[in-house]
Amino acid sequence: SVNPDLASERQTASFCVEKLTALLDGGTEQTRIRRAVVEAIESDPVFSRENQYFQTQNERYEAAVKKAVHLQKKMHEMGWTENGPEYKYIYRALSGDVAFLLHRVFMRSISVLGSDKQIAKWIPLATQHKLIGSYAQTELGHGTYLQGLETTAVFDAATQEFILNTPKISAMKWWPGDMGRSATHTVVFAQLYIHGKCYGIHPFIVQIRSLQDHSLCPGITAGDIGPKMNFEHIDNGYLLLKNVRIPKENMLSKFCEVRPDGTYVRQGSQQINYFTMTTVRISLISDEVLTPLMKACTIAIRYSAVRRQSKLKPGEQEAKILDYQTQQEKLLPQLAAAYAFHFVNDYLQELFNRGYGEIQRKNFDMLPELHALSSGFKAVITQHCTAGVEICLRACGGHGYSLLSGLPSLYTKIIASCIYEGENTILLLQTARFLIKCFMAANAGQPVPPSVTYLAAVKHGKCPAKNKLDFLSPDIYTEAYQHVAVRLTSSTAAKLQDLIQSGVKKHDAWNQCTVQLVQAAKAHCHYIAVKNFAETVEKLETKAGIQKIMKHLCDLFALHGIFSNTGAFLHDGYISAAQMDMVTASYLDLLAVIRKDAVPLVDAFDFTDKSLNSALGSYDGQVYQRLYEWAQKSPTNQMSPAYERYLKPLLHNTLSKL
Amino acid sequence: AAAMSVNADLRRERAAATFQPELLTHILDGGAERTRRRKEIEALVLNDPDFQHEDLNFLSRSQRYEQAIRKSSLMVMKLREYGIADPEEIYWFKSFVHRGRPEPLDLHLGMFLPTLLTQATPEQQDRFFMPAWNLEIVGTYAQTEMGHGTHLRGLETTATYDPSTQEFILNSPTVTSIKWWPGGLGKTSNHAIVLAQLYTQGECKGLHAFIVPIRQLGTHEPLPGITVGDIGPKFGYDEMDNGYLKMDNFRIPRENMLMKYAQVEPDGTYVKPVSDKLTYGTMVFIRSLIVGDSARSLSRACTIAIRYSAVRHQSELKPGEPEPQILDYQTQQYKLFPLLATAYAFHFVGAYIKDTYHRVSGDISTGDLSELPELHALTAGLKAFTSWTANAGIEECRMACGGHGYSRCSGIPDIYVTFTPSCTYEGENTVMMLQTARFLIKSYSQVTSGQQVTGMVSYLNELSRQRIQPQHVAARTVTMRINDPTSLVEAYKSRAARLVESAAKNLQAELNHRKSKEDAWNRTSVDLVRASEAHCHYVVVKLFTAKLAEVSDAAVHAVLTNLCLLYALFGISRNAGDFLQAGILTSAQISQVNQHVKELLAVIRPNAVALVDSFDFHDVHLGSVLGRYDGNVYENMFEWAKKSPLNKTQVHESFHKHLKPMQAKL
């Protein structure tokens, strides 16, 4: 039965939970399909994650491979296809706990970078799993900075082959998923050399394991890179190439080709490469970043409604920890952020779809803006959500530290997203480069993309708020965010120019301004997120209390951002000291308001107990019983050999030696 | 791979340092002689083949527990063999043996034995102490329950006195009352000191401590009436068997209640203890240890991240030139150097707290309890302040190492998971901050009622003087000298005063609105935590600044002064809003601070590696491929990975079990 402390939270919801779920899914039909997929996956014992927290790296890997293989069967059975509406929910239903994720990246890179002939040859093989692919880009010595990769591919005109080599230890491929144990083929990125001249980084299909017995091919050294913070189920691998010869046809050649005589021909636009990165950065936000934060909020908020600690009023029952202002101040801003970024993700998806349409019409105008927004938001959202999950973890006190809470795994998984697909600081600097460029252009009266037109309209006013209620007006706070974004961008641009005019070299000037540039890029993204949230709320239907609660969350998201970064808003007096007290007062008032709907707001995320896999966060709130039951299943509760081997001698025999 | 020479980058860094790292090491250790002795003990452990073992990253949890218990038993024997008895030397020995990790005998040595010494009667000591000293009895300290942690009054375990048999009957009446988390309880201990609500003559007398046997001596099987086990896998603490304990009508003799202070007489009459303040002492002591632990854990992470950043080359700063060390990027310096400065600051704070504790406990033994409340408030706040900061700092160090930081070979994931529970144990940090706030508010109201306060809060006295002037309390802009730490201490002092005052006023406003004191307190608690943080921040800046005066070597003094300035200025930059809002600093001054922070990064850069070398962590203790003293990172990552369990066989069994059948079918 449901713990009465949770049941009572649900009775007082100010809005219709089911309607909010549908809004998050993008429609009731979407909700229905998602639930059907989740149901099908969770009712199949092969996909169970029940014992996950007790498994070793080897066991996790084996389970993931088993699931990946079984998934093929399941999809066939259910009639799900890769282009069907169900497909995108499968990964969520599995909680990402499955192998061969890089197989899809392998296929996508062939589809995007391969010639028609290459696509015709490799894609059917991959689709039927006649081979298992991986994607080998990152090396021991280089990650985000691709030009620095050191693997070489030398063209041998005599045999019409490429000879691949790992010339030094730092050139070893390192980290690619599925490569340590599973993959038979991989797309290797290497510096192309023809007749002694380097033509930069190119992709090559390389077979690394035998299709018969899975042994390593001649010239190949490969293996697993060892234990990590998480992703125990993935065999991230290393790869060393020693004079490995591949036929000329194995260089992916949609955009570049090497003729038999060694002539190098570039065809089409390289800009499309940018587009691939943009695609990946946007696509990871939902499953890899928002889902963990939403799960963490669900666990921490439900637990905080069940956990009672200390007394708020003498003589009364101990209070739910969710009733403490300090606990609300930890958790509710994370909840607001989860919603805010959900809507940013919608915004990015829409922008992306539009951009994709343009690109198909050979119009690349939207690319720079899309690139800047996807880089900046990838960094801002991953950083914010990672911090949010950690706050949820620590807000659960000691029990949050148990793996059985589910929180440590969510944290160690989401934290990887701050680094993969582009290290965050570098991404923010890319966004900053775009901002500075647009700022200059806007000031010179040239047209700039829509998301940055605000940079041209620098206003020098002050915040007009007169009392704390004024700060619940989206116009007031959105303008404050805009003001800070403009101020940081313009002051950094000015400083850059000053430095350059005083004789500092351009790249030195840039490095001296990078701390500020990062701040400007963050301010820009934060402004867009607030503005987008406010605009989204505006458009929501007023029925069923949805708009009202979303408006509260939007206010909280905005005011929390000001409250936790007061210096930026006070700096030039745009917000005065007295106004800042109003911000704080409004912000703290909101916590108490949203507190009432906290549990329904996480219920709306609609995670099943199996998908949360948490003793603290289940729907029924039977926290302590579950914790006790699960602990007893721990393998450490089988009689340990440590007793016979060490404890017994310690407790008896060794005494004589003491 | 062992005989490789030091990486050229690191050699260059070390040659360019402007000071001698050993001199700074001596300051951290508390003198050259202490350094010598520490290294002597370190060598004893590191050269001892008994303490060698496989890389723990490749072992399962059970195997890690086994290794730990093996080493712990050897450790106890060898400590006695070598005659090491000084608490600090024992601490060193233990942390070298276990490489900074927890171990299953931690609570036996750190809580069970000391509690016997302080709370047992002489008769009880006769019965329990020697067997425990000789490890016939292995004990733990069972306080935390599933339902209650920091809030001790809420504990539910009961001990009911039965005068007819002169026994206590122990019970876990609810699921939430099951003892949960105590280290060493799950598998190792055969006894526990159990905290339970004492009932005698039909009345509850509050929490008391009882010695409870839980496992049969000889067979190690749980005793009838006792359910005990391991609480399962955790984020870290793999080598520790944190346990649960459920008791059903379990009887122990009356003499098993620790009765040095409170007593239950044979007929059930309860005799109250003289003072309950004395139990503060242990808490203060353990919290003060956490401050030092914050410093050490952050120092380890900084050592790894800074050495690695000096070895890793990436991208380009100047067109056409070779890839620069990532430590040359301003953004990387901005991530790491303030943390380096913080690690030093916390070392000095830790040493101060330790000294103060010893001084005050000297006073206590002579009956003078006057300084105890402030010390209690200060350690609670600093425990929270330093552990929160270090917790976040360790993660920043890891992130600064990019993808490789995520690998367990970097060592930082382990530092993090081992350290992060200190934000919760020995007092949950938010609760700690609120305890400090209670002291601050009390001091503030003393000041407003015309009394003077002393100690670290004496800055509050100035508030009453300022009140004579019509303007806002701290609204006098200080003339800040940006290169003078003492001037920055003043700025922090004003900020703390202003935030304490503002929290106090908000609290009063709430009290005027509402009936309940508790409600008003709750509705002000976010402000109160901010006030405590500002107070602790001030204390740290003040102590770091004070430390500078004790440093005689000019070169070391110069480099520490720069770190102190960076610590103070970075803190202002990060919390600029507080200083602006209170009118302590102007926007122009804040811009100046921001600029000076960046200049200091460049000033500290040439000494960065020497500054982490001064922490003097041995490679074995550091446990990091990225942070090796010799900087030969990539070669050793490869060597390390080859030992991974997934690499045990060339073809993984999953191929035959799953992959091959699938390929055959499709």
Side-chain angles (χ1 to χ4, degrees), chain B residues 152-164:
Chain B
L152 293 184
R153 271 166 302 160
L155 295 178
E156 300 170 280
T157 302
T158 58
T160 310
Y161 185 63
D162 176 358
S164 69

Side-chain angles (χ1 to χ4, degrees), chain B residues 23-157:
Chain B
L23 295 181
L24 190 43
T25 306
H26 298 160
I27 293 174
L28 291 171
D29 279 328
E33 171 53 25
R34 312 275 309 148
T35 302
R36 189 201 59 76
R37 179 64 178 149
R38 176 176 56 78
K39 288 177 112 63
E40 189 172 67
I41 290 176
E42 185 177 272
L44 274 181
V45 175
L46 297 181
N47 298 330
D48 187 336
D50 281 349
F51 292 127
Q52 312 294 318
H53 52 76
E54 198 183 337
D55 190 319
L56 296 173
N57 287 298
F58 304 128
L59 302 183
S60 72
R61 213 191 131 211
S62 275
Q63 292 168 318
R64 282 168 84 146
Y65 169 69
E66 243 186 271
Q67 279 300 337
I69 199 96
R70 182 183 70 82
K71 288 196 293 180
S72 290
S73 24
L74 286 168
M75 175 183 82
V76 172
M77 283 199 298
K78 294 196 183 199
L79 276 170
R80 291 173 198 181
E81 198 179 306
Y82 298 136
I84 297 174
D86 174 71
E88 184 147 3
E89 294 189 358
I90 292 176
Y91 173 85
W92 285 336
F93 195 91
K94 188 175 108 66
S95 81
F96 297 136
V97 168
H98 290 284
R99 300 168 192 187
R101 295 165 188 282
E103 50 103 0
L105 292 186
D106 268 348
L107 272 90
H108 177 76
L109 302 171
M111 288 299 289
F112 190 79
L113 290 175
T115 307
L116 284 181
L117 284 177
T118 54
Q119 295 189 39
T121 62
E123 178 273 329
Q124 288 174 323
Q125 295 205 8
D126 284 348
R127 258 197 306 145
F128 294 108
F129 192 80
M130 278 324 283
W133 179 251
N134 289 330
L135 292 171
E136 228 173 295
I137 287 178
V138 174
T140 179
Y141 190 82
Q143 176 177 295
T144 301
E145 294 172 1
M146 208 189 273
H148 290 89
T150 306
H151 180 61
L152 293 184
R153 271 166 302 160
L155 295 178
E156 300 170 280
T157 302

